[in-house]
Amino acid sequence: MRSEGALRSLPAHRMRHCRCVAALAWCAIAWAGMAIGTARELPEFAVENPAPGVYVHYGQQAEMTAANFGDVANLGFVVGSRCVAVIDTGGTYAVGRALRQAIRRVTAIPVCFVINTHVHPDHVFGNAAFVDDHPAFIGHVHLADALRRRGQNYLNALNRDLGDAAWRSAIVVPTRAVATSDDVDLGGRILQLHAWPTAHTDTDLTVFDRESATLWLGDLLFVGHVPVLDGNLRGFLAALTEVKAIRAKLAVPGHGRALAWPDALVPEQHYLEDLRAEVRAAIDARRTLAETVASVDVGRGQWLLYDQFHRRNVTAAYAELEWDD
Ligand SMILES: [Zn+2]
């Protein structure tokens, strides 16, 4: 406002010149802002504190877009007396940084661990925001290999689809692998990690905070958002039977909110069981893949993002079950 006032008192040609200079200066400031990231901040990032030392950010139930910065998965952190453990970091550097800022509003103790529940981009690309903290990056024993195989394609797609909102997102491979189970000590607080046989993906890892009985399921649990099959249907259903037996007070799904445990798991279990039964029946009736994809619509109308993922699930189930006895 002040510069506009000063410009008004100048002759017209000088004013044009100054407007031009002012515009350039504004551009330079804006560019500098972009360069240091101020223009790439999430507009808001809410974190809930459902139990002492447990913090959860619920991502949007949406596909990753520039407008939402890839903030579509649930993330959070657990605070011990010595260390913070982060559980998933979001779909972009911007989400990871917002999560890191949320941690710093709660505590100044170091982030010693960044745990990824699986390979999907909406859960891992915020890792880059924690590199300077030098944590142990922890994942399923297959995660490093999965990131090497898929990571660059994920990153290319992220940059293509989100453009500037994907700024500084990067592949960060785990430095500590979990083959079956492992404990992480945050100082007077133990997190139990469990690596699963192929289910939602071949890199699924769950986290259980013993102190609060909070179970972080990653994408072994979808609530609202249609379940996604990118691993093995038989393994997914087997994993659900096992996780259901865990006595948790609070469950954090990869997407959506679990209002009761283990009841929150039931709709997903039904969807996957129905998917298996209908695809099995289609194969037995010698229907082609295309016919099966066109005809199997279990759960239609009951799930968010159904059109984006359901047909892919049918395709994956068909490929798996086609060669089953
Ligand atoms: Zn996933």
Side-chain angles (χ1 to χ4, degrees):
M1 292 301 282
R2 220 170 344 142
S3 61
E4 277 293 304
L7 287 171
R8 257 184 232 116
S9 62
L10 292 170
H13 72 280
R14 292 282 297 153
M15 199 162 120
R16 267 197 306 276
H17 171 73
C18 281
R19 276 190 197 285
C20 204
V21 169
L24 280 174
W26 184 88
C27 283
I29 291 164
W31 183 85
M34 299 277 272
I36 59 169
T38 52
R40 292 162 170 136
E41 300 260 354
L42 270 71
E44 57 178 324
F45 190 85
V47 174
E48 299 183 16
N49 180 205
V54 177
Y55 296 83
V56 186
H57 168 72
Y58 289 95
Q60 296 179 29
Q61 296 261 38
E63 288 190 288
M64 294 168 70
T65 64
N68 64 32
F69 284 85
D71 180 19
V72 300
N74 298 338
L75 333 162
F77 54 99
V78 180
V79 182
S81 65
R82 186 175 57 82
C83 283
V84 176
V86 172
I87 302 160
D88 281 343
T89 56
T92 58
Y93 173 85
V95 177
R97 186 171 56 178
L99 179 62
R100 193 179 181 283
Q101 287 165 351
I103 294 168
R104 285 294 161 253
R105 285 194 288 274
V106 169
T107 177
I109 64 174
V111 175
C112 306
F113 309 100
V114 172
I115 302 163
N116 289 125
T117 61
H118 65 293
V119 69
H120 283 154
D122 48 333
H123 299 258
V124 300
F125 274 134
N127 283 13
F130 294 92
V131 168
D132 290 343
D133 294 305
H134 305 290
F137 287 93
I138 305 178
H140 189 287
V141 69
H142 294 150
L143 180 61
D145 189 46
L147 280 168
R148 282 189 198 102
R149 279 187 286 110
R150 296 174 166 206
Q152 193 57 50
N153 284 346
Y154 283 165
L155 194 55
N156 293 346
L158 189 79
N159 284 318
R160 182 194 65 215
D161 297 342
L162 273 65
D164 209 40
W167 177 70
R168 286 188 73 171
S169 302
I171 300 161
V172 179
V173 294
T175 54
R176 180 168 155 183
V178 182
T180 50
S181 55
D182 200 357
D183 284 354
V184 163
D185 186 356
L186 308 184
R189 188 163 199 157
I190 302 289
L191 300 183
Q192 297 174 319
L193 313 183
H194 186 75
W196 294 84
T198 304
H200 165 65
T201 65
D202 65 351
T203 56
D204 300 317
L205 185 81
T206 52
V207 181
F208 185 68
D209 171 42
R210 274 201 324 222
E211 189 169 315
S212 65
T214 301
L215 177 62
W216 302 74
L217 288 127
D219 283 2
L220 286 184
L221 177 57
F222 285 84
V223 179
H225 184 310
V226 69
V228 176
L229 175 62
D230 185 25
N232 183 279
L233 184 50
R234 187 200 299 248
F236 207 152
L237 283 163
L240 295 189
T241 303
E242 271 193 65
V243 291
K244 214 172 180 177
I246 298 173
R247 289 167 179 255
K249 282 189 187 150
L250 172 71
V252 182
H255 300 268
R257 282 171 186 264
L259 299 177
W261 177 259
D263 292 357
L265 209 137
V266 173
E268 173 177 86
Q269 199 168 15
H270 285 166
Y271 172 83
L272 294 173
E273 283 169 350
D274 292 350
L275 179 69
R276 180 174 61 179
E278 293 218 7
V279 171
R280 174 84 267 159
I283 291 167
D284 290 347
R286 300 193 177 276
R287 269 188 249 151
T288 64
L289 171 60
E291 288 165 348
T292 306
V293 168
S295 64
V296 172
D297 62 353
V298 295
R300 179 173 293 282
Q302 295 164 29
W303 297 96
L304 301 168
L305 300 163
Y306 189 86
D307 290 338
Q308 288 87 335
F309 294 103
H310 172 71
R311 278 175 296 178
R312 256 189 259 178
N313 290 340
V314 176
T315 305
Y318 191 98
E320 178 186 329
L321 298 177
E322 194 178 9
W323 305 107
D324 266 14
D325 292 329

